[in-house]
Amino acid sequence: LKPRRKESFDRIIKIIRDNPPHTVLDFGCASGDFLFQLLEINPDIQTIGIDKSSALIKLAKKQLGKRSNPQFHRLDILSPKDRPLLSRLLTTRVEFITILGTLHTFFDFIPILQPLIANLSTKKIIIHSPFNPDPINARVFHQDLSSPDKTYQSGYNIFSITTVSRFLKRHRVKNFKFIPFVMKKTLIKNPTHPMFNYHLID
């Protein structure tokens, strides 16, 4: 159950450390690995994690132990019944919102970003996700060959920089930039498992 350290988190933590916030809200926090890693650097930051998965929130709280920071909430950003909680969390003193490895799991990024960019004068948002430099939104599907109908399931939705930029400009978000991230580690190829050809296993 020990939280996993990730190189990509270190890069994001450096950005946050250069602009010390009072509160960080992590959208799609999973089991809280990023928030736990952030608090190792600055234990005074108030942190909030939200995720749709009850199982992951339960795991995050188990890793939390008796501490009160981070706070974890099960919340589905697309569910109307969860909007009051989302609004309440977003109106707290949150300077940074992080969306790490989450945005590309949705078919459409607009319902995710729209409520988060409200009142951006007091917030900074960091999104860690693959974006396509070409003006094409790409969708990667996985096929389940064990199912009778060989079902396809969406794996990743790689939105184009052009599409995301247009959305942000349309909503009067003027100050944004895309920062390339290159992993220092070499991905380990595992031909016996097709998914592991593209994922780092450590």
Side-chain angles (χ1 to χ4, degrees):
L1 296 179
K2 186 177 179 180
R4 291 184 62 221
R5 295 195 62 84
K6 295 184 180 179
E7 180 187 330
S8 58
F9 288 171
D10 288 332
R11 172 81 174 268
I12 293 157
I13 288 170
K14 183 180 184 304
I15 295 172
I16 294 174
R17 192 173 52 195
D18 292 343
N19 302 269
H22 178 270
T23 304
V24 172
L25 187 149
D26 187 27
F27 171 77
C29 66
S31 56
D33 288 357
F34 168 70
L35 295 180
F36 289 121
Q37 193 166 323
L38 173 62
L39 289 171
E40 287 178 8
I41 306 299
N42 191 337
D44 296 325
I45 297 176
Q46 296 301 307
T47 56
I48 303 168
I50 60 176
D51 201 280
K52 178 181 178 180
S53 169
S54 299
L56 287 173
I57 290 296
K58 183 178 180 180
L59 178 57
K61 289 180 177 179
K62 188 171 184 178
Q63 293 183 154
L64 181 63
K66 295 181 179 179
R67 292 172 291 168
S68 58
N69 186 24
Q71 298 175 29
F72 290 107
H73 301 273
R74 197 222 64 84
L75 187 151
D76 181 357
I77 197 170
L78 300 178
S79 171
K81 70 180 180 63
D82 286 347
R83 284 176 191 157
L85 175 57
L86 178 63
S87 298
R88 181 169 64 81
L89 293 173
L90 291 176
T91 53
T92 59
R93 189 181 168 187
V94 174
E95 290 89 356
F96 270 96
I97 297 173
T98 53
I99 310 172
L100 312 178
T102 301
L103 192 67
H104 61 272
T105 64
F106 292 91
F107 280 129
D108 188 357
F109 67 88
I110 293 177
I112 308 305
L113 293 187
Q114 205 144 24
L116 301 181
I117 64 174
N119 192 24
L120 262 183
S121 61
T122 58
K123 296 180 179 68
K124 297 179 178 69
I125 298 179
I126 299 175
I127 301 170
H128 187 272
S129 184
F131 292 103
N132 192 355
D134 294 316
I136 298 170
N137 295 321
R139 183 168 291 166
V140 179
F141 286 93
H142 302 151
Q143 187 179 23
D144 183 0
L145 297 177
S146 64
S147 67
D149 56 356
K150 305 295 186 290
T151 305
Y152 277 94
Q153 298 177 344
S154 177
Y156 301 98
N157 300 282
I158 305 172
F159 306 110
S160 76
I161 288 175
T162 302
T163 304
V164 177
S165 298
R166 284 175 181 166
F167 166 80
L168 295 174
K169 289 176 182 177
R170 193 165 61 246
H171 288 78
R172 300 179 181 178
V173 179
K174 298 177 181 178
N175 187 15
F176 63 89
K177 59 183 174 180
F178 292 85
I179 304 171
F181 172 76
V182 179
M183 292 179 64
K184 295 178 182 177
K185 297 179 181 177
T186 302
L187 292 177
I188 301 170
K189 189 169 184 178
N190 183 350
T192 64
H193 196 302
M195 285 302 298
F196 290 173
N197 286 328
Y198 305 98
H199 289 69
L200 177 66
I201 305 301
D202 56 10

Short mmCIF file of all heavy atoms in Angstrom, two decimals, residues 99-105 127-131 157-159:
data_model
loop_
_atom_site.label_atom_id
_atom_site.label_comp_id
_atom_site.label_asym_id
_atom_site.label_seq_id
_atom_site.Cartn_x
_atom_site.Cartn_y
_atom_site.Cartn_z
N ILE A 99 -4.75 17.79 -12.60
CA ILE A 99 -5.45 16.72 -13.31
C ILE A 99 -4.36 15.86 -13.94
O ILE A 99 -3.85 16.19 -15.02
CB ILE A 99 -6.41 17.28 -14.38
CG1 ILE A 99 -7.31 18.38 -13.81
CG2 ILE A 99 -7.25 16.17 -15.01
CD1 ILE A 99 -8.14 19.10 -14.85
N LEU A 100 -3.99 14.80 -13.27
CA LEU A 100 -2.79 14.06 -13.64
C LEU A 100 -3.15 12.67 -14.15
O LEU A 100 -3.64 11.84 -13.40
CB LEU A 100 -1.84 13.97 -12.44
CG LEU A 100 -1.59 15.29 -11.69
CD1 LEU A 100 -0.68 15.06 -10.50
CD2 LEU A 100 -1.04 16.35 -12.62
N GLY A 101 -2.90 12.44 -15.44
CA GLY A 101 -3.17 11.12 -16.01
C GLY A 101 -4.64 10.77 -16.01
O GLY A 101 -4.99 9.59 -15.93
N THR A 102 -5.50 11.77 -16.09
CA THR A 102 -6.94 11.55 -15.97
C THR A 102 -7.72 12.06 -17.18
O THR A 102 -8.64 11.39 -17.65
CB THR A 102 -7.47 12.25 -14.70
OG1 THR A 102 -6.80 11.72 -13.55
CG2 THR A 102 -8.97 12.05 -14.54
N LEU A 103 -7.35 13.21 -17.71
CA LEU A 103 -8.17 13.86 -18.74
C LEU A 103 -8.36 12.96 -19.96
O LEU A 103 -9.44 12.92 -20.55
CB LEU A 103 -7.54 15.19 -19.15
CG LEU A 103 -8.42 16.10 -19.99
CD1 LEU A 103 -9.62 16.60 -19.17
CD2 LEU A 103 -7.64 17.29 -20.53
N HIS A 104 -7.32 12.23 -20.34
CA HIS A 104 -7.40 11.42 -21.56
C HIS A 104 -8.27 10.17 -21.39
O HIS A 104 -8.48 9.44 -22.35
CB HIS A 104 -5.99 11.03 -22.03
CG HIS A 104 -5.23 10.22 -21.05
ND1 HIS A 104 -4.44 10.79 -20.07
CD2 HIS A 104 -5.12 8.89 -20.87
CE1 HIS A 104 -3.88 9.84 -19.35
NE2 HIS A 104 -4.27 8.67 -19.82
N THR A 105 -8.77 9.92 -20.18
CA THR A 105 -9.65 8.77 -19.99
C THR A 105 -11.11 9.11 -20.30
O THR A 105 -11.96 8.22 -20.30
CB THR A 105 -9.57 8.23 -18.54
OG1 THR A 105 -10.05 9.24 -17.63
CG2 THR A 105 -8.14 7.87 -18.18
N ILE A 127 -2.44 20.22 -16.00
CA ILE A 127 -2.96 19.00 -16.61
C ILE A 127 -1.78 18.18 -17.13
O ILE A 127 -1.00 18.67 -17.94
CB ILE A 127 -3.92 19.31 -17.77
CG1 ILE A 127 -5.10 20.16 -17.27
CG2 ILE A 127 -4.43 18.03 -18.42
CD1 ILE A 127 -5.97 20.71 -18.40
N HIS A 128 -1.64 16.97 -16.64
CA HIS A 128 -0.60 16.08 -17.16
C HIS A 128 -1.30 15.01 -17.99
O HIS A 128 -1.98 14.13 -17.47
CB HIS A 128 0.17 15.44 -16.00
CG HIS A 128 1.35 14.64 -16.44
ND1 HIS A 128 1.25 13.31 -16.76
CD2 HIS A 128 2.65 14.97 -16.62
CE1 HIS A 128 2.44 12.85 -17.12
NE2 HIS A 128 3.31 13.84 -17.04
N SER A 129 -1.15 15.13 -19.31
CA SER A 129 -1.90 14.26 -20.21
C SER A 129 -1.23 14.28 -21.57
O SER A 129 -0.56 15.26 -21.92
CB SER A 129 -3.34 14.78 -20.33
OG SER A 129 -4.14 13.91 -21.11
N PRO A 130 -1.39 13.22 -22.38
CA PRO A 130 -0.88 13.29 -23.75
C PRO A 130 -1.76 14.21 -24.60
O PRO A 130 -2.99 14.11 -24.55
CB PRO A 130 -0.97 11.84 -24.24
CG PRO A 130 -2.03 11.21 -23.40
CD PRO A 130 -1.99 11.90 -22.07
N PHE A 131 -1.14 15.11 -25.35
CA PHE A 131 -1.85 15.98 -26.29
C PHE A 131 -1.21 15.83 -27.66
O PHE A 131 0.00 15.70 -27.78
CB PHE A 131 -1.78 17.45 -25.85
CG PHE A 131 -2.56 17.74 -24.60
CD1 PHE A 131 -1.91 17.91 -23.39
CD2 PHE A 131 -3.94 17.84 -24.64
CE1 PHE A 131 -2.63 18.17 -22.23
CE2 PHE A 131 -4.66 18.10 -23.48
CZ PHE A 131 -4.01 18.27 -22.28
N ASN A 157 -7.94 8.92 -24.99
CA ASN A 157 -8.42 9.95 -25.90
C ASN A 157 -7.39 11.06 -25.91
O ASN A 157 -7.21 11.76 -24.91
CB ASN A 157 -9.79 10.46 -25.45
CG ASN A 157 -10.80 9.32 -25.41
OD1 ASN A 157 -11.31 8.91 -26.43
ND2 ASN A 157 -11.07 8.80 -24.22
N ILE A 158 -6.66 11.16 -27.01
CA ILE A 158 -5.55 12.11 -27.09
C ILE A 158 -6.04 13.35 -27.83
O ILE A 158 -6.11 13.38 -29.05
CB ILE A 158 -4.33 11.48 -27.79
CG1 ILE A 158 -3.96 10.18 -27.08
CG2 ILE A 158 -3.14 12.44 -27.77
CD1 ILE A 158 -2.90 9.37 -27.77
N PHE A 159 -6.43 14.37 -27.06
CA PHE A 159 -6.99 15.59 -27.63
C PHE A 159 -5.87 16.43 -28.24
O PHE A 159 -4.75 16.45 -27.74
CB PHE A 159 -7.73 16.37 -26.55
CG PHE A 159 -8.77 15.56 -25.84
CD1 PHE A 159 -8.59 15.18 -24.51
CD2 PHE A 159 -9.92 15.15 -26.49
CE1 PHE A 159 -9.54 14.42 -23.85
CE2 PHE A 159 -10.88 14.38 -25.83
CZ PHE A 159 -10.69 14.02 -24.51
#
